[in-house]
Structures are given as C-alpha cells and as structure tokens.
C-alpha cells in the first residue's frame, strides 16, 4: 500500500460508494490490489491508468460482475450507501439493478427494438409497469441520454441500424431507465469517432446532476474534461486520488506526474 | 520473372484442383437428383399420393400410408428430440463449463458416431420387446435418439457464437443468469438454432435402419402411434428389393418424394439462417 494516495478528497460528504481494501483476482493473480476509494454522490469520478492496470476490473467489482468470470474472485469490501454489497444479505442481481453499466463497445440487444432495449431493465425488475408508464420512462431515459430526438420516429427499429455513437447512447439510456443509484462507464468512447465521443462527454456532464458516475478511461484529456475526481491506478494499485484539477496540475506522486505528462503508459 | 511465373502456375494448379474437388462433390448429388426425377417423376400422379399399396404384383396403388407415416414419425421424433437437444445444447454453451458439461459433450459425441442400426436395436431392446409389439412411437424414439446429439452440438456451437458482451450487458442490467441466457443469448441465436434443428430433422427424415426394428412398416394406412407404421424410407427398402416392376416404379416415386421433403427442409433451413443471426458486430 502506498502512502502517497491518502487524500481527503471527496471525504467532505458521505460517499455514495466506497471500497475498502478491495482485492480482485484472476485465477489467484491479483489484478486489483488493496484499493480503498470513495465515490462522491452526483459527481463524476474518473479512473485512469495504462492498459492492464486493473481499472476495468475495479469497475466490475463495483456491480459484482467480476466474480462471474471463470476463475475470478474478490476480497475486501465495497459499500453502497454504507451497506456492504458483498455481504450475505445482498442479492447481486438486485444490486445490479441499482448500479447501471455501459461497456466499451455498444451492446444493444440485437433481437429487441430500440424501445424494448430501453425498457429491458424496467421489465426485468420486480415492479410491473403499465404500458403508459413504460412509454413515459422510455422517453425520459432516451431524453436523458440525448437520443430522443434522433430515434423518436423509429422506436420500433432494430438498434443495429443506429450509428456506433447512437448505439452507445442507447446503452446509456438502457442503463439509466431503471433509475440506478450509480452509473459505471467502462471506456464508453473507446470505440467511437470524435463526434460520438463529444456527445457522450457532454452527456456525462448532464448525467451527474442525477447520478453518481464512475468512468474508466485511458484518455487523459477525457478524464480532465469530464471528471470532478480522478483516481490513478498503476499495476493494480491506487497511486493517487484527488480532485481532478489537483491530479492534473499538482500531482503528489512522481508516477502520476510521469503518466499525465505522457512519459509512460 | 521466372519465380513469378512459377508462382502463377502453382496458384493456377491449386485453384484448378480445388475447383475439381468441388465439382466432384456436386456430381453425385446432381446425378442422384437427375436419376430420381427421370425415373420417379412418371410415377407421381394423384393415385400415388392418395392411395395405399395394392396387393403384391397388382398394378396401381400409391404410398399415402408411407407419406403420412413419415410425417407422423418424423414429427413425433422432432417433438421429442428438438426440445431435449436444444435444451442440452443451451446448457452446454451457457452452463457446461464443469465436469457435467464435459460428460454430456462426450456422450453426445459418442452417440453422434453410433451407427443408426445400433440405435434401432437398442430401442427394440428397451421399448419394442417390453411393449410386446412394434410401434410408430418406438420408431420416433429411435429417430429422436439419433437426432438429439446432432441438435445438441449444433445448438451449442451457435449459442457460443453470441458475443459474451451481450450476456454481460444483460447481467449488468439486473437479469438473473437464466433470464440473460434465455431472453438475450438464446433469443439472439434463435435463427441459427432453428436452422440446426431443421437440418437435424432433414437428416433423420430419410433414416431406414433404426426403423426396421421399431416402426417395422405397414401396408395399411395407420395413424395410431402404438401400431406399426409405414414410412417412405421403409417402403423404398421393401419395394426396391422386391421382385415386381410395379414396386420398383413406386420405389422410385417414393424416393423422389422423400428427397423433395429433405430438400424443402434444407431450403427452409437456409432461408431461416438468412433472416439474420445478427449477434452484435
């Protein structure tokens, strides 16, 4: 564990999500090492670091997706609103309904229409919605994902007809439709062109009004543009964590400085 | 320059060799189809489709009993075999990582290589003998046993083609494991699964050996699953080996009809698979 990452950032308010001594393994090899991090509510926290530093794995521990990979395991704790998500009384399926996730590549369900994609998370929950309620929630999710105007006349279309950027915004709409507490974005723009990237970045700024957003990115400019807090991971360890402005202008760790100035990674 | 010429010649030679192989593969199929149409088409009249066989040696008669019998037995076999085969295939692809999966896969592969007549004898031992008589049901079971490992393995292969990212997306959305498997992964793979199923049905439609000890055959028109029943393949077997010219004529006709059935199933499978299995990009 490194002393230099200790930082009061984000501690002024109760964190929405918090990890405590989190380790993640693939077949016994640690990919995430003893990470303790706090994610402030309705803020954007960026997780940066070179490829293979464990940032995606860390993200996937936060909605218990990591443990579904064969040979994967987790130790340590993650708290959502102060409650352990790895505790015996937490149902991972229920948990995942409270924590939305968007992946590197757009993953619309190809057998469902655009409308049904957005409604998918609503239909799978324990609550039953009426047709009118569904219509309303789907529209709201699409509006919040800044996609409504582009798809409102083609809700019954196949989502694969959309552009890559639109597909990714559709996936964001699908993730936020059930109104989760936290939104996890795993390199959401890495497969998009500059215009698509711009749209998603603007959207992240909007989304933090309502959601706690955690975004993994290998794009440093993106982290600087969209996030309030930044965590720098290297070889599975947390090197530094703090307000984004501080991390990018006055990093404490020489390794953070070397990374953000482009000397490695 | 010399080397370039050499390469061109070699390239040309290999292309010609593969083209020759392709033609040789097609040749038997074309010959069979041609022969069947040439010899069988003249037998196909209304009587052929709506009459049952006459007494041996008498002219006329048809194979209505065999056509209906084929539909009944193959349909019953599909009703038994497809749910089991597809279910097992989905299990293997989605949950079959452990020892159980290995075992099922191994058994399916062994069963896939088992000669169909052995399966006929097996069903005779365990169904026909205890029941005391031959039956269409026993024939259907034999065909189902033959079909299940084929359908299982093709289903598994197709479901595996669905990108893992789709499954993860569903799980991240709060789908329970089984529901992610069924309503996202299997649904995405469905056209491919249907194609595999149709190919499986087409494959058993013409089987004869497993029916010899089970469905047995019947000269009369039967629809009762518990009685012996005629199929086109059994009819062809009996008529083609019989002494009468009239029988031979009917056998050619029956062969043509059977071939057409299989062809239609094959075309249907082609069509379904073209309606697009679009598992992400």
């Amino acid at each position: 564990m490194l002393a230099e990452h200790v930082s009061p950032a984000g501690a002024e308010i109760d964190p929405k999500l918090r990890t405590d001594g989190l380790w993640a393994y693939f077949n016994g090899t640690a990919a995430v090492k003893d990470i303790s991090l706090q994610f402030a509510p309705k803020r954007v926290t960026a997780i940066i670091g070179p490829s293979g530093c464990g940032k995606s794995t860390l993200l996937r521990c936060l909605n218990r997706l990591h443990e579904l990979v064969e040979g994967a395991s987790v130790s340590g704790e993650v708290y959502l609103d102060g409650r352990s998500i790895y505790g015996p009384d937490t149902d991972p399926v229920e948990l995942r309904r409270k924590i939305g996730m968007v992946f590197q590549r757009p993953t619309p369900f190809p057998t469902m229409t655009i409308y049904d994609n957005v409604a998918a998370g609503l239909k799978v929950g324990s609550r039953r919605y009426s047709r009118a309620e569904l219509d309303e929630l789907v529209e709201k999710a699409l509006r919040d994902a800044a996609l409504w105007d582009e798809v409102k006349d083609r809700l019954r279309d196949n989502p694969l007809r959309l552009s890559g950027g639109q597909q990714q915004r559709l996936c964001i709409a699908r993730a936020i439709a059930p109104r989760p507490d936290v939104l996890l974005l795993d390199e959401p723009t890495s497969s998009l062109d500059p215009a698509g990237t711009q749209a998603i970045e603007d959207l992240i700024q909007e989304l933090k009004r309502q959601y706690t957003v955690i975004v993994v990115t290998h794009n440093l400019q993106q982290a600087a543009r969209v996030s309030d807090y930044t965590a720098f991971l290297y070889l599975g360890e947390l090197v530094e964590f703090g307000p984004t402005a501080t991390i990018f202008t006055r990093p404490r760790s020489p390794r953070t400085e070397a990374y953000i100035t482009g000397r490695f990674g | 320059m010399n080397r370039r010429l050499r390469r061109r010649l070699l390239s040309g030679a290999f292309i010609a060799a593969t083209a020759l192989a392709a033609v040789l593969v097609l040749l038997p199929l074309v010959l069979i189809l041609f022969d069947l149409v040439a010899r069988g088409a003249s037998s196909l009249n209304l009587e052929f489709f709506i009459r049952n066989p006459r007494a041996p040696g008498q002219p006329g008669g048809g194979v209505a009993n065999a056509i209906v019998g084929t539909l009944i037995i193959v349909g019953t076999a599909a009703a038994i075999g497809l749910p089991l085969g597809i279910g097992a295939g989905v299990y293997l692809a989605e949950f079959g990582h452990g020892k159980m999966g290995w075992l099922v896969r191994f058994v399916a592969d062994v069963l896939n290589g088992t000669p169909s007549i052995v399966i006929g004898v097996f069903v005779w031992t365990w169904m026909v003998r205890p029941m005391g008589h031959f039956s269409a049901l026993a024939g259907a079971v034999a065909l189902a046993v033959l079909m299940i490992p084929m359908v299982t393995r093709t289903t598994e292969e197709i479901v595996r083609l669905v990108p893992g990212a789709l499954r993860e997306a569903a799980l991240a959305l709060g789908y329970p494991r089984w529901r992610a498997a069924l309503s996202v992964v299997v649904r995405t793979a469905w056209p491919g699964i249907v194609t595999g199923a149709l190919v499986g049905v087409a494959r058993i439609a013409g089987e004869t050996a497993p029916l010899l000890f089970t469905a047995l055959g019947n000269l009369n028109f039967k629809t009762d699953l518990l009685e012996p029943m005629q199929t086109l393949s059994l009819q062809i077997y009996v008529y083609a080996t019989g002494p009468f010219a009239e029988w031979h004529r009917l056998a050619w006709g029956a062969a043509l009809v059977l071939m057409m059935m299989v062809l239609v199933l094959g075309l249907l499978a082609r069509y379904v698979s073209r309606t697009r299995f679009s598992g992400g990009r």
Side-chain angles (χ1 to χ4, degrees):
Chain A
M1 175 99 135
L2 300 147
E4 62 207 15
H5 84 265
V6 178
S7 157
E12 66 269 23
I13 2 169
D14 278 346
K16 185 76 189 169
L17 197 65
R18 180 163 72 84
T19 73
D20 188 11
L22 185 69
W23 291 75
Y25 308 87
F26 287 105
N27 297 314
T29 309
V32 165
K33 300 172 186 165
D34 192 25
I35 288 186
S36 300
L37 259 180
Q38 307 191 337
F39 301 99
K42 302 198 175 171
R43 291 287 181 278
V44 178
T45 304
I47 301 173
I48 61 169
S51 296
C53 72
K55 40 190 201 302
S56 284
T57 306
L58 170 61
L59 199 69
R60 295 161 59 89
C61 289
L62 303 181
N63 65 349
R64 296 190 58 173
L65 212 52
H66 173 68
E67 68 202 47
L68 295 178
V69 178
E70 214 177 322
S73 58
V74 179
S75 72
E77 277 297 352
V78 178
Y79 300 96
L80 176 65
D81 289 323
R83 281 191 51 192
S84 165
I85 69 166
Y86 282 96
D89 50 335
T90 300
D91 173 8
V93 173
E94 282 296 326
L95 171 79
R96 291 185 200 116
R97 290 176 192 156
K98 288 190 229 160
I99 301 185
M101 187 167 188
V102 176
F103 298 84
Q104 281 188 34
R105 292 179 155 277
T107 54
F109 301 139
T111 54
M112 300 184 195
T113 62
I114 290 172
Y115 180 98
D116 288 338
N117 262 277
V118 181
L122 297 165
K123 287 180 177 168
V124 85
S126 43
R127 228 200 107 180
R128 294 272 153 253
Y129 295 94
S130 70
R131 188 80 225 172
E133 284 176 308
L134 273 182
D135 286 350
E136 194 180 313
L137 289 167
V138 166
E139 177 174 343
K140 172 152 176 39
L142 283 169
R143 280 192 192 281
D144 287 351
L147 191 60
W148 175 252
D149 290 333
E150 290 158 67
V151 300
K152 64 183 175 200
D153 300 320
R154 46 196 292 207
L155 292 173
R156 300 284 153 207
D157 265 16
N158 187 309
L160 297 184
R161 297 225 186 99
L162 299 174
S163 74
Q166 289 173 325
Q167 287 187 24
Q168 194 64 309
R169 275 179 283 148
L170 177 66
C171 291
I172 291 176
R174 185 176 66 189
I176 61 179
R179 306 202 53 77
D181 293 335
V182 180
L183 192 58
L184 308 177
L185 307 173
D186 187 2
E187 304 201 19
T189 61
S190 65
S191 66
L192 303 184
D193 61 14
T197 300
Q198 176 75 49
I200 300 281
E201 287 186 7
D202 293 346
L203 180 55
I204 292 174
Q205 291 305 314
E206 286 299 314
L207 289 172
K208 78 170 182 183
R209 292 167 193 265
Q210 302 178 60
Y211 303 99
T212 302
V213 180
I214 304 171
V215 55
V216 161
T217 179
H218 61 244
N219 179 337
L220 292 173
Q221 286 76 26
Q222 182 168 71
R225 281 192 298 264
V226 304
S227 70
D228 302 298
Y229 299 99
T230 297
F232 172 50
L233 260 60
Y234 184 62
L235 299 178
E237 293 177 27
L238 179 64
V239 177
E240 190 164 350
F241 174 58
T244 299
T246 311
I247 295 277
F248 278 90
T249 54
R250 303 184 304 279
R252 293 156 185 245
S253 158
R255 279 193 290 177
T256 313
E257 189 179 358
Y259 182 66
I260 61 170
T261 52
R263 265 180 277 150
F264 77 99
Chain B
M1 202 59 203
N2 216 349
R3 254 169 86 183
R4 211 169 129 187
L5 185 71
R6 203 179 101 90
R7 255 191 271 162
R8 279 197 178 177
L9 283 174
L10 263 178
S11 169
F14 276 106
I15 291 173
T18 53
L20 184 68
V23 170
L24 286 178
V25 166
L26 270 179
L27 200 62
L29 182 70
V30 172
L31 286 178
I32 289 170
L33 268 178
F34 183 79
D35 220 28
L36 278 180
V37 173
R39 297 178 189 239
S42 58
S43 309
L44 302 187
N45 49 32
L46 188 63
E47 193 182 5
F48 181 86
F49 287 102
I50 62 167
R51 295 255 186 257
N52 292 326
R54 294 246 173 105
Q58 283 190 28
V63 295
N65 61 333
I67 293 175
V68 172
T70 297
L71 294 179
I72 290 176
I73 290 182
V74 171
T76 309
I80 301 169
L82 291 184
L84 286 172
I86 291 173
V90 170
Y91 170 81
L92 286 182
E94 283 289 296
F95 308 100
H97 304 296
K99 285 207 175 74
M100 181 68 183
W102 180 87
L103 188 69
V104 173
R105 215 168 276 125
F106 178 73
V107 170
D109 285 344
V110 171
L111 209 54
N112 238 342
T114 306
S116 58
I117 194 154
V118 175
I119 290 171
V121 172
F122 163 81
V123 173
W124 180 83
T125 310
W126 292 99
M127 257 185 98
V128 175
R129 221 170 42 165
M131 288 169 74
H133 55 88
F134 296 99
S135 68
L137 186 63
V141 168
L143 293 186
V145 171
L146 199 60
M147 179 168 64
I148 286 170
M150 280 190 286
V151 174
T152 299
R153 292 297 261 156
T154 47
T155 301
E156 182 191 1
E157 300 295 324
I158 303 264
V159 173
R160 273 186 195 285
L161 286 180
V162 177
L166 277 184
R167 183 182 304 109
E168 284 206 327
L171 293 172
L173 210 52
Y175 277 66
R177 190 85 172 76
W178 65 270
R179 204 159 159 187
L182 286 188
S183 52
V184 173
V185 178
V186 170
R187 208 168 134 193
T188 304
W190 192 246
I193 294 174
V194 172
T195 300
L198 287 171
V199 170
V201 173
R203 170 75 180 65
I204 58 157
E207 277 291 340
T208 319
L211 297 177
L212 288 171
F213 308 99
T214 51
L216 185 66
N218 200 322
L219 290 175
N220 302 310
F221 191 95
K222 296 287 178 190
T223 54
D224 185 348
L225 276 176
L226 295 178
E227 286 186 78
M229 198 183 277
Q230 188 70 301
T231 70
L232 283 167
S233 55
L234 287 170
Q235 187 107 21
I236 294 165
Y237 174 72
V238 173
Y239 279 11
T241 52
F244 308 107
E246 185 66 14
W247 276 17
H248 296 164
R249 188 182 67 78
L250 286 173
W252 280 111
L256 181 58
V257 170
L258 185 58
M259 190 79 184
M260 286 302 157
M261 282 185 179
V262 173
L263 207 66
V264 166
L265 282 170
L267 288 175
L268 212 59
R270 260 301 164 77
Y271 173 76
V272 172
S273 70
R274 262 187 42 194
T275 55
R276 211 48 223 146
F277 153 48
S278 45
R281 309 199 273 185

